[in-house]
Amino acid sequence: MTHSLLSRLKLSAITLITLITVGCGKSVDDERVPYSEVHISFTTVAEWNLYGVKGDAADYRRYILAKGVTEPAGFPYKASDHTGYSGILLVSDVMGNLIVYDLACPYDPTPSVRLEIPDGELHARCPKCGSTFDIYTNHGNPRSGPAADHGYALQRYNITSGGALQYRVITR
């Protein structure tokens, strides 16, 4: 073999090993929560200011419309509104961007067990399994507990600016 061919083979082998190594990095599974309809609309800026998040870093609000539970109290839910599998967690991240998650823990999704944000903490915690999730800076990725051991991240939803009759809309 010529020196040139040997160099190209070495380069090809190194490239292949690099691609395999990078491609096999640990990823998270963020689709473990069963499918459920998601739709909440804020029709005016005033409604958003009253029931939404302010855009401050680490601001959050929970939305739950389920049998026997309505949160936040007084929110004008419409017949077309649905709050996901276990409820919705709307947060404002460290840059003021809006992010929406399902309140179900992806390790053991149960509609009645909802994530909590402990006072003064910057993560969400599952009261059942103890898993914690980075909701403000790392897209709902697990930090600790069985969800982290298995690589189960929170289910994310979309939030967009509405049309002529809506200020903001949360959807699947």
Side-chain angles (χ1 to χ4, degrees), residues 37-41 43 65 75-83:
E37 291 294 322
V38 175
H39 184 270
I40 298 178
S41 62
T43 55
L65 182 59
F75 183 78
Y77 285 108
K78 299 156 201 69
S80 61
D81 287 344
H82 302 280
T83 58

Side-chain angles (χ1 to χ4, degrees), residues 9-92:
L9 285 173
K10 284 182 184 177
L11 182 60
S12 295
I14 290 170
T15 303
L16 182 61
I17 290 169
T18 302
L19 287 173
I20 290 171
T21 303
V22 171
C24 292
K26 189 173 181 180
S27 62
V28 295
D29 179 354
D30 61 356
E31 296 183 6
R32 288 188 41 82
V33 173
Y35 181 86
S36 187
E37 291 294 322
V38 175
H39 184 270
I40 298 178
S41 62
F42 299 85
T43 55
T44 65
V45 173
E47 188 175 272
W48 175 259
N49 289 338
L50 187 59
Y51 294 109
V53 294
K54 304 294 185 242
D56 300 331
D59 193 11
Y60 74 92
R61 177 80 68 147
R62 291 169 25 132
Y63 301 87
I64 304 168
L65 182 59
K67 187 176 182 179
V69 181
T70 302
E71 192 177 325
F75 183 78
Y77 285 108
K78 299 156 201 69
S80 61
D81 287 344
H82 302 280
T83 58
Y85 181 71
S86 188
I88 291 174
L89 176 63
L90 172 64
V91 304
S92 179

Side-chain angles (χ1 to χ4, degrees), residues 29-160:
D29 179 354
D30 61 356
E31 296 183 6
R32 288 188 41 82
V33 173
Y35 181 86
S36 187
E37 291 294 322
V38 175
H39 184 270
I40 298 178
S41 62
F42 299 85
T43 55
T44 65
V45 173
E47 188 175 272
W48 175 259
N49 289 338
L50 187 59
Y51 294 109
V53 294
K54 304 294 185 242
D56 300 331
D59 193 11
Y60 74 92
R61 177 80 68 147
R62 291 169 25 132
Y63 301 87
I64 304 168
L65 182 59
K67 187 176 182 179
V69 181
T70 302
E71 192 177 325
F75 183 78
Y77 285 108
K78 299 156 201 69
S80 61
D81 287 344
H82 302 280
T83 58
Y85 181 71
S86 188
I88 291 174
L89 176 63
L90 172 64
V91 304
S92 179
D93 73 7
V94 295
M95 300 300 289
N97 300 311
L98 301 173
I99 305 172
V100 184
Y101 304 103
D102 198 288
L103 282 167
C105 176
Y107 176 69
D108 183 12
T110 305
S112 62
V113 177
R114 296 178 178 96
L115 297 175
E116 301 168 344
I117 293 123
D119 287 340
E121 297 292 330
L122 296 176
H123 65 272
R125 184 183 66 78
C126 174
K128 184 175 179 183
C129 75
S131 292
T132 61
F133 301 89
D134 194 345
I135 56 173
Y136 296 113
T137 59
N138 202 14
H139 308 291
N141 286 333
R143 294 176 52 179
S144 65
D149 296 341
H150 291 86
Y152 298 156
L154 297 179
Q155 172 71 50
R156 288 186 62 178
Y157 300 127
N158 302 310
I159 184 163
T160 58

